[in-house]
């Protein structure tokens, strides 16, 4: 059965060698016993990881077909990587990178860096929130019919271009923010408010920083 690349990569990374999973050998234990313990620990770890990834795939498979999605639960399942996991699953489900001739590694690198721009220290603009908005965007496009409608009105754009642009907009919308409202930033004369002339401070900052991130060589998936 085909699975998303992140599943295969995680399982491969966790296979490694048995020594990667071994703790210090206990005093007085012979080499065979130690090797057996290492092997058992490794197998237990891989089994747990397979269960986690199976749960992850089950949630994603249901989420793409539904308006319902618990981003907080999904963040817990993925070790607080809900945005990356959902974005990659969508990309692979619709083969967006392949159809557009994009470097999928750069796309995922860009999204991974975006997710880091939603730090745990910010309890207001969270990764789970970003993933929730991304899922809502997907649901509007596919279940609400907006993707097809947009394609009919803008025939020069492909469905893949529409999807990717909307997904990125959703992922970026609160990128690199401080957990503060525009009104607070303006009233306290924050440096960001001054820089953006008190006009849509958070929104302009997120967009500007995302474009700056995209110019990085390892994240510039639009580069020919």
């Amino acid at each position: 059965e085909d699975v998303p690349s992140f599943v295969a990569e995680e399982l491969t990374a966790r296979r490694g060698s048995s020594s990667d999973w071994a703790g210090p050998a206990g005093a007085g234990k012979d080499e065979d016993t130690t090797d057996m313990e290492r092997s058992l620990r490794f197998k237990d770890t891989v089994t747990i990881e397979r269960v986690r990834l199976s749960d992850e795939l089950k949630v994603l498979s249901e989420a793409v077909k539904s308006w319902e999605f618990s981003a907080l639960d999904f963040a817990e399942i993925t070790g607080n990587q809900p945005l990356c996991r959902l974005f990659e699953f969508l990309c692979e489900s619709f083969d967006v990178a392949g159809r557009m001739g994009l470097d999928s590694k750069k796309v995922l690198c860009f999204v991974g860096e975006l997710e880091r721009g939603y730090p745990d220290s910010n309890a207001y603009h969270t990764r789970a929130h970003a993933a929730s908005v991304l899922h809502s965007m997907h649901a509007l496009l596919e279940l609400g019919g907006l993707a097809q409608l947009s394609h009919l009105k803008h025939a020069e754009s492909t469905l893949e271009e529409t999807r990717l642009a909307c997904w990125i907009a959703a992922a970026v919308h609160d990128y690199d923010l401080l957990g503060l409202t525009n009104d607070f930033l303006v009233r306290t004369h924050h440096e960001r408010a001054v820089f953006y002339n008190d006009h849509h401070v958070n929104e302009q900052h997120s967009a500007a920083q995302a474009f700056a991130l995209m110019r990085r060589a390892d994240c510039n998936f639009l580069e020919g």
Side-chain angles (χ1 to χ4, degrees):
E1 181 181 0
D2 292 335
V3 297
S5 62
F6 67 81
V7 176
E9 289 172 0
E10 286 211 15
L11 289 175
T12 299
R14 283 162 175 74
R15 287 189 182 102
S17 64
S18 60
S19 61
D20 293 337
W21 300 87
K29 294 186 178 181
D30 60 41
E31 185 175 346
D32 290 338
T33 302
T34 301
D35 287 343
M36 181 179 295
E37 289 178 346
R38 290 174 178 174
S39 178
L40 289 173
R41 281 199 296 270
F42 170 72
K43 289 178 180 179
D44 288 344
T45 303
V46 171
T47 299
I48 293 171
E49 189 63 17
R50 284 185 180 275
V51 171
R52 185 186 70 78
L53 292 174
S54 176
D55 291 343
E56 185 176 321
L57 282 175
K58 182 179 179 180
V59 171
L60 287 169
S61 298
E62 292 297 322
V64 295
K65 301 180 293 185
S66 172
W67 291 91
E68 300 294 328
F69 176 64
S70 176
L72 292 175
D73 289 344
F74 189 60
E76 184 173 351
I77 291 174
T78 60
N80 202 26
Q81 293 183 312
L83 182 61
C84 286
R85 297 307 204 204
L86 177 58
F87 201 106
E88 180 171 3
F89 190 82
L90 291 174
C91 279
E92 295 197 3
S93 296
F94 292 95
D95 191 25
V96 168
R99 291 176 181 271
M100 294 180 64
L102 303 177
D103 187 329
S104 60
K105 290 184 178 180
K106 289 187 177 182
V107 173
L108 298 180
C109 179
F110 174 70
V111 178
E113 291 300 316
L114 279 181
E115 188 156 55
R116 292 185 182 90
Y118 292 86
D120 293 339
S121 58
N122 186 340
Y124 186 66
H125 302 113
T126 66
R127 297 177 179 186
H129 170 64
S132 177
V133 173
L134 174 59
H135 176 265
S136 295
M137 178 63 77
H138 159 74
L140 286 170
L141 289 171
E142 308 305 328
L143 305 181
L146 291 186
Q148 291 290 343
L149 180 62
S150 175
H151 183 55
L152 290 174
K153 290 190 173 183
H154 305 282
E156 70 278 6
S157 299
T158 66
L159 281 173
E160 288 73 31
E161 289 171 339
T162 298
R163 288 178 176 125
L164 184 60
C166 290
W167 295 345
I168 290 176
V172 162
H173 84 282
D174 279 339
Y175 172 61
D176 195 42
L177 298 187
L178 303 171
L180 304 171
T181 65
N182 284 335
D183 186 58
F184 181 87
L185 294 173
V186 171
R187 289 177 179 272
T188 57
H189 306 290
H190 192 278
E191 60 182 9
R192 292 188 182 181
V194 174
F195 184 82
Y196 293 110
N197 199 27
D198 297 344
H199 185 65
H200 302 305
V201 180
N202 281 328
E203 292 74 18
Q204 291 205 78
H205 179 80
S206 291
Q209 292 302 306
F211 278 119
L213 175 62
M214 194 182 296
R215 296 183 65 180
R216 270 179 38 181
D218 57 340
C219 294
N220 190 356
F221 56 86
L222 297 178
E223 189 176 43

